[in-house]
Amino acid sequence: MIRIHSLNVRYKTERGDVHAVRGISLDIQQGQFFTLLGPSGCGKTTTLRAVAGLEAPDEGEIAIGDDLVFSSARRISVPPYKRDIGMVFQSYAIWPHMNVFENVAFPLREMGRKFSKREINSKVRQALSLVQLEGLEDRPAPFLSGGQQQRLALARALVKEPRVLLLDEPLSNLDAKLREETRLELRELVKRLGITTFYVTHDQLEALTMSDVVAVMDQGRVVQEGSPMEIYQSPKERFVANFIGLTNFLEGRVKGFCPKQPRLGEIETASGTLQCVLPDGVGPGESVVMVVRPEDIHLGTGTPPQQGNVLHGRVEAIIFMGEALECQVAVGSQRLRMKLHPSSGVRQGEAVTLELPPERCRALRA
Ligand SMILES: Nc1ncnc2c1ncn2[C@@H]1O[C@H](COP(=O)(O)OP(=O)(O)O)[C@@H](O)[C@H]1O
Ligand SMILES: [Mg+2]
């Protein structure tokens, strides 16, 4: 539905060129909820604006459905209003001098095609009912709450019934509780409408909870693309592991493969020999960094398991997080973070045994 091929965008500034997007290629399927996730400044907004036609790329191609809307080689650049898209900006960009009705009607009035008054009325009301703002048509836009303004921006993006919705951090101005509720509502709405959604966020939880596919971006490039579970459970690079969720890193060197489980290897670390999943093509002698999530580390029960990774340490810090305890355990010179149930009863200073299931430990190339 949206095809981006070898997209490059540079900004000319007084201090030289900023190469904001560096050869990105993405293929977003019809009806998919696709998220670009990355830290501030990595090029997410630039990519989205290029798809909308608000930014002129230097190189590459962009197609929306069967329409080639940008091609540097063929000198094609379709203007924004002729692309079949709706867009919500981080700031919402709703018009403060208009009421709710006029804000939503605006894109219809702006279109080349003329709609009758009745058609406009019915389309606006339908869009407002999708976002549950019916009854507020006459309210001046600034007199809406933050959550209502966000939904107004969404109604305005949907009123033309575009095939593609582009959303740039649309929830970032909402407070935490509302943001959480809106995540699910928004996903359900676009799924119900069957609209292809290209979403941009720096918020990993939004990306994991809303998306069919997540592309993680760093410094103008896509470093990994996959389902939320793949991205979280099988990060292929240190950057991805570090950016998404909390992670423990243990440096090591590959000793060899486990005889009975060829998928697993043994690595030598400062905390002893550990078994873990090795990346393809990595063999003995190579430097790796092992990644294990806090929720995958368990407290030992006393009887050490026959197989697997067992470490001994001392509890250094316990942080109460409400639904969980984050427990920091000193193991040799390392500090490992683990997640425990608040009822677990561990105490600061206590000597503990940790079990790290080998299949949950993943080595990455160092
Ligand atoms: N209009 C602009 N002029 C110059 N540099 C820009 C402009 N817009 C963005 N940039 C730079 O391009 C890079 C990517 O920005 P952006 O796409 O906004 O990142 P993100 O949305 O991921 O935070 C950043 O280094 C940013 O400073
Ligand atoms: Mg941005």
Side-chain angles (χ1 to χ4, degrees), residues 136-150:
L136 294 178
E137 287 81 355
D138 300 328
R139 176 93 49 102
F143 295 167
L144 297 175
S145 71
Q148 287 170 330
Q149 290 190 14
Q150 191 273 331

Side-chain angles (χ1 to χ4, degrees), residues 11-13 18 20 38-47 168-169 200:
Y11 292 109
K12 297 222 177 313
T13 70
V18 177
S40 173
C42 73
K44 305 180 296 295
T45 295
T46 304
T47 306
D168 191 356
E169 314 233 12
V200 156

Side-chain angles (χ1 to χ4, degrees), residues 33 35 69 71 98 107 230 265 288:
F33 197 115
T35 299
V69 294
S71 167
M98 292 183 192
E230 280 165 2
V288 290

Side-chain angles (χ1 to χ4, degrees), residues 213-273:
V213 178
V214 179
V216 183
M217 213 174 153
D218 179 29
Q219 297 177 44
R221 292 192 176 83
V222 169
V223 289
Q224 191 173 348
E225 190 181 325
S227 71
M229 216 177 253
E230 280 165 2
I231 293 284
Y232 185 84
Q233 293 184 345
S234 314
K236 291 205 162 62
E237 287 191 22
R238 193 174 179 136
F239 173 83
V240 177
N242 200 27
F243 186 69
I244 301 171
L246 280 177
T247 304
N248 296 294
F249 292 106
L250 292 105
E251 315 276 344
R253 191 175 290 278
V254 179
K255 277 174 76 177
F257 299 94
C258 298
K260 285 190 189 141
Q261 290 155 294
R263 251 171 60 77
L264 296 180
E266 285 189 335
I267 62 170
E268 194 61 52
T269 74
S271 308
T273 300

Side-chain angles (χ1 to χ4, degrees), residues 124-163:
V124 170
R125 277 172 213 288
Q126 200 183 350
L128 286 173
S129 100
L130 282 176
V131 300
Q132 290 151 31
L133 284 181
E134 60 272 78
L136 294 178
E137 287 81 355
D138 300 328
R139 176 93 49 102
F143 295 167
L144 297 175
S145 71
Q148 287 170 330
Q149 290 190 14
Q150 191 273 331
R151 297 201 324 258
L152 175 58
L154 193 57
R156 198 182 51 187
L158 291 171
V159 73
K160 287 200 292 186
E161 296 167 45
R163 286 182 301 168

